[in-house]
Amino acid sequence: MKTNAFRALVALGFASGACAAPAMQNVYARTGITLDGKWHVIVDPYENGAYNYRREPLDASPNPSSGYFLDRRAADRTELVEYDFDASPTLMVPGDWNSQQEKLFWYEGTVWYRTRFDHSPAPGMQRQFLHFGAANYQADVYLNGAKLGRHVGGFTPFEFEVTGKLKPTGNSLVVKVDNTRHADAVPTVNTDWWNYGGLTRDVTLVETPRILVRDYQVQLAPARAAAATRVAVSVQLDGASAPTPVTVEIPEAGLRATLTTDAAGSGRTEIPARNLSAWSPQQPKLYEVRISSGQDRVVDRVGFRRIEVRGDQVLLNGRPVFLRGISLHEENPLRGGRAYSEEDARLLLGWAKELGCNFVRLAHYPHNEHMARVADELGLMLWEETPVYWTIAWTNPDTLANATNQLTELITRDRNRASVIVWSVANETPVSEPRTRFLRSLVDTARRLDATRLVSAAMEVHVDPADNDHRIVDDPFGAYTDLLSFNQYIGWYDGLPQKLDRIRWTFAYDKPVMISEFGADALQGMHGDALTRFSEEYQEDLYRRTLGMLSRIPQWRGTTPWILVDFRSPRRPLPVIQDGWNRKGLIGENGVKKKAFYVLRDFYLRDADAHSGSR
Ligand code: GCB
């Protein structure tokens, strides 16, 4: 299925060779072999494997020189080949390179990865796809010496069809991964997180029959007044050249429907569904959903719930809810480096559960698919986000196409997850006309791809020029979002915590207010009085006062304080205290909880739900 964003990327010449295709839905449920494990790597800061000595791209050359790192061997001892994957070191995939090799800790540039594998088709399978969970930031992929294409964007899945291109033995898969930052990229050059490079998520060879269910969405239809509950189903087949029947079943609920696709392979239907138990944090019920067409069959586990906004309330399954949240980065501090596995997801989301959360903000980019699947199971609602962070090249059409593509790939992957309730299109972007136009375009994309969830962004606040204790939230972009979400750091970047007791708020919109960030750095184990910067007591006091201030806002409906765990950031050099870590975690990098953790937990367990706006 070629989305508009995908077409735009091709039209803009985003790719060298073919562009990667958007990945198929629910890849973990498919027949496949994992290509995870040790890959040989060549570190190539000058991109010697991609350009000749005149800096001409070897991709464009009909006879690439031996510099081209495509797993060649010298034909005889006189031939000059100046690299050797077999004799080069290895890195684990999935995994970032920074946390695996000390020499690569700060590295930003190109690393060439190579694995070899044999392949004999699984019974009944005619098509093969190479699926990458993510590669940060740009990946050029080569199979058996031929280029398959390129993918841009560090946090979303992509794939290449390789049917007819595989050999029974000794296939060579080479990926050039480049995490260089660029001013016109998404994100841009400036962030407050570690730029982990590499094949950071699972790599799989997926096999399917000739016709496959490439994509589907099975969710409750948006509520219509007095209408019965219905499950809305949309399906996209790949490989069907004529109308084809598709069957959708939810056996436990006794539901079954058959639809017929159109000539383009798309089909939709609605199934009346009176007896489904709703998914919620209290009861995260998941149903087995089976979708089959011809030889192809996929099985998923899907929860059914409704999320809406009415006036200043957030309604989950029709009832007001307070979002007891926390923000988190995709990092496992105990192992070090990017989180990628189901175990990592259970560690991070398990801590969020201990904190009393029903909501988690996956900041500041799309996290791996396990996060949403584990959240589905644990009953945690999620805010998922694109890396449109701080400043972006707002007027550059390539940058918008890139952001649109990343958002599209995220929504396509996770739109069957009951846990996901918010698509967030940006974080702390400075107000300007071109920026608002850019973000509106992303909102339109999100709503077009998925009409069943809320859309928002973490916005900013401004100070009333006439009154330093008066904060105003009137970002013009707030007119287009469902939640009025914003970050604020009164008491840390803006005065001392006592100031929190005096602040008054004005909101330009009658919408649910969601404070997407507040917080203070504290080094776990460092103690002092409540005015000692970086002490646990300062952070604890700031949390108490912030919760007091927010409790006075009548339309306050949730918060995701910054942040669950300390995380690595090159912007945080203060020796002894930061040492390259942002210390705003409620849990230290050693896994030990700080005092403020308990302040927030007590608030969540005792007082928070009183702010749901239920009247
Ligand atoms: C913010 C950013 C977040 C930073 C945080 C901080 O406003 O959204 O990415 O890490 O502040 O610690 O300064």
Side-chain angles (χ1 to χ4, degrees):
M1 186 180 42
K2 291 191 167 79
T3 60
N4 288 340
F6 177 64
R7 275 193 220 107
L9 285 173
V10 175
L12 285 162
F14 225 74
S16 119
C19 219
M24 68 182 74
Q25 185 67 221
N26 191 12
V27 78
Y28 287 115
R30 294 232 164 235
T31 302
I33 60 165
T34 178
L35 300 179
D36 291 350
K38 284 185 176 166
W39 292 44
H40 285 280
V41 293
I42 299 173
V43 180
D44 186 19
Y46 287 11
E47 297 183 287
N48 193 39
Y51 295 93
N52 68 15
Y53 80 124
R54 298 287 186 223
R55 195 71 190 171
E56 291 154 350
L58 296 170
D59 260 356
S61 146
N63 295 310
S65 77
S66 63
Y68 205 25
F69 293 168
L70 294 187
D71 205 7
R72 291 175 67 245
R73 278 142 199 258
D76 59 54
R77 66 195 177 85
T78 63
E79 191 187 350
L80 177 64
V81 177
E82 292 189 81
Y83 70 92
D84 181 356
F85 273 114
D86 290 324
S88 296
T90 57
L91 287 175
M92 280 304 289
V93 174
D96 60 84
W97 61 60
N98 316 68
S99 66
Q100 292 190 58
Q101 249 198 43
E102 211 179 332
K103 271 193 297 188
L104 298 178
F105 183 65
W106 290 98
Y107 183 67
E108 295 186 306
T110 283
V111 172
W112 294 77
Y113 283 74
R114 199 243 25 221
T115 190
R116 290 232 181 94
F117 61 96
D118 299 338
H119 174 255
S120 41
M125 299 296 168
Q126 285 96 32
R127 297 174 71 180
Q128 288 79 33
F129 299 85
L130 279 171
H131 180 279
F132 295 82
N136 190 36
Y137 166 81
Q138 177 172 294
D140 290 276
V141 182
Y142 306 82
L143 178 68
N144 296 330
K147 183 157 191 172
L148 296 174
R150 169 175 291 179
H151 181 261
V152 174
F155 304 96
T156 44
F158 56 97
E159 72 194 21
F160 299 95
E161 180 156 12
V162 293
T163 307
K165 295 180 180 166
L166 294 170
K167 306 184 289 188
T169 54
N171 292 286
S172 162
L173 177 59
V174 172
V175 188
K176 174 186 187 286
V177 185
D178 182 356
N179 72 337
T180 306
R181 288 168 293 126
H182 298 283
D184 56 0
V186 183
T188 178
V189 288
N190 195 23
T191 67
D192 188 21
W193 71 78
W194 209 264
N195 182 23
Y196 290 110
L199 291 175
T200 49
R201 296 187 190 154
D202 297 319
V203 183
T204 317
L205 179 70
V206 182
E207 302 207 66
T208 72
R210 195 175 57 76
I211 298 176
L212 68 130
V213 179
R214 165 163 286 286
D215 194 11
Y216 56 86
Q217 185 169 21
V218 182
Q219 293 280 278
L220 281 190
R224 276 166 298 202
T229 305
R230 300 173 86 80
V231 174
V233 177
S234 63
V235 177
Q236 178 66 48
L237 297 183
D238 177 334
S241 48
T244 306
V246 179
T247 302
V248 181
E249 291 167 278
I250 310 177
E252 193 186 334
L255 301 180
R256 185 175 201 278
T258 298
L259 60 90
T260 302
T261 58
D262 62 19
S266 334
R268 53 182 66 237
T269 189
E270 287 199 357
I271 317 175
R274 260 175 301 280
N275 300 324
L276 286 176
S277 306
W279 181 98
S280 69
Q282 299 77 27
Q283 194 204 359
K285 172 73 188 158
L286 300 176
Y287 287 89
E288 184 176 298
V289 174
R290 299 180 191 160
I291 303 174
S292 47
S293 183
Q295 304 305 306
D296 197 32
R297 179 185 142 102
V298 268
V299 179
D300 209 340
R301 290 174 76 215
V302 177
F304 298 95
R305 55 103 195 89
R306 261 196 196 106
I307 190 78
E308 301 154 90
V309 155
R310 191 171 57 204
D312 66 18
Q313 293 175 321
V314 180
L315 304 180
L316 175 67
N317 300 319
R319 280 195 289 278
V321 64
F322 181 87
L323 302 172
R324 292 179 263 123
I326 192 72
S327 298
L328 61 90
H329 266 293
E330 190 190 38
E331 205 176 43
N332 178 339
L334 303 183
R335 184 193 55 235
R338 272 264 168 274
Y340 51 76
S341 65
E342 187 180 330
E343 295 70 50
D344 292 339
R346 289 194 188 279
L347 173 77
L348 296 169
L349 297 178
W351 276 330
K353 289 289 282 190
E354 276 185 61
L355 186 58
C357 291
N358 61 7
F359 184 52
V360 173
R361 174 182 180 209
L362 301 183
H364 278 304
Y365 38 76
H367 290 212
N368 66 83
E369 188 170 342
H370 297 294
M371 293 295 273
R373 288 191 174 270
V374 172
D376 262 12
E377 214 185 277
L378 296 181
L380 286 166
M381 295 179 275
L382 295 180
W383 156 303
E384 295 201 335
E385 185 162 326
T386 70
V388 175
Y389 181 89
W390 289 350
T391 53
I392 287 280
W394 305 115
T395 55
N396 184 337
D398 289 13
T399 306
L400 178 59
N402 182 349
T404 305
N405 188 53
Q406 294 192 45
L407 177 66
T408 302
E409 290 176 339
L410 169 63
I411 294 177
T412 306
R413 192 193 69 188
D414 281 355
R415 64 181 157 190
N416 288 304
R417 304 282 70 83
S419 50
V420 180
I421 60 162
V422 184
W423 304 121
S424 172
V425 299
N427 178 73
E428 282 186 359
T429 55
V431 177
S432 77
E433 215 281 313
R435 163 287 210 168
T436 302
R437 214 175 323 119
F438 188 106
L439 297 191
R440 275 188 69 183
S441 167
L442 294 182
V443 167
D444 292 345
T445 299
R447 294 201 194 281
R448 184 171 46 73
L449 291 172
D450 177 23
T452 71
R453 290 178 173 79
L454 312 180
V455 177
S456 200
M459 291 177 264
E460 288 185 322
V461 171
H462 75 256
V463 184
D464 180 350
D467 177 357
N468 192 33
D469 292 339
H470 181 206
R471 294 290 180 282
I472 302 171
V473 185
D474 60 357
D475 185 328
F477 181 60
Y480 307 104
T481 61
D482 296 305
L483 301 175
L484 193 58
S485 323
F486 54 88
N487 302 347
Q488 66 79 26
Y489 281 91
I490 301 161
W492 184 252
Y493 294 123
D494 172 1
L496 293 171
Q498 283 95 325
K499 186 169 182 176
L500 287 156
D501 306 345
R502 305 193 302 264
I503 297 292
R504 293 178 304 109
W505 291 90
T506 299
F507 304 106
Y509 307 95
D510 176 31
K511 295 189 177 186
V513 163
M514 218 295 289
I515 285 67
S516 33
E517 284 178 33
F518 70 84
D521 281 61
L523 177 64
Q524 188 280 318
M526 178 174 150
H527 296 287
D529 61 19
L531 284 173
T532 306
R533 289 267 184 183
F534 300 106
S535 71
E536 286 197 37
E537 286 71 18
Y538 189 110
Q539 188 189 41
E540 181 187 35
D541 182 52
L542 180 135
Y543 266 70
R544 277 218 181 88
R545 290 176 196 264
T546 304
L547 294 170
M549 172 189 74
L550 297 178
S551 296
R552 293 190 290 276
I553 297 175
Q555 67 202 78
W556 182 39
R557 299 294 171 253
T559 182
T560 50
W562 196 252
I563 186 172
L564 184 65
V565 197
D566 291 355
F567 60 97
R568 283 204 185 272
S569 168
R571 294 174 61 87
R572 308 292 168 175
L574 182 65
V576 182
I577 289 174
Q578 293 178 320
D579 288 325
W581 291 85
N582 183 313
R583 295 290 183 198
K584 294 191 188 69
L586 294 176
I587 302 178
E589 111 248 11
N590 51 6
V592 178
K593 297 175 178 95
K594 306 177 193 173
K595 287 179 146 189
F597 181 96
Y598 299 100
V599 174
L600 186 61
R601 193 185 63 164
D602 287 352
F603 179 79
Y604 280 169
L605 297 184
R606 281 208 300 262
D607 306 316
D609 291 344
H611 297 276
S612 67
S614 123
R615 296 182 250 271

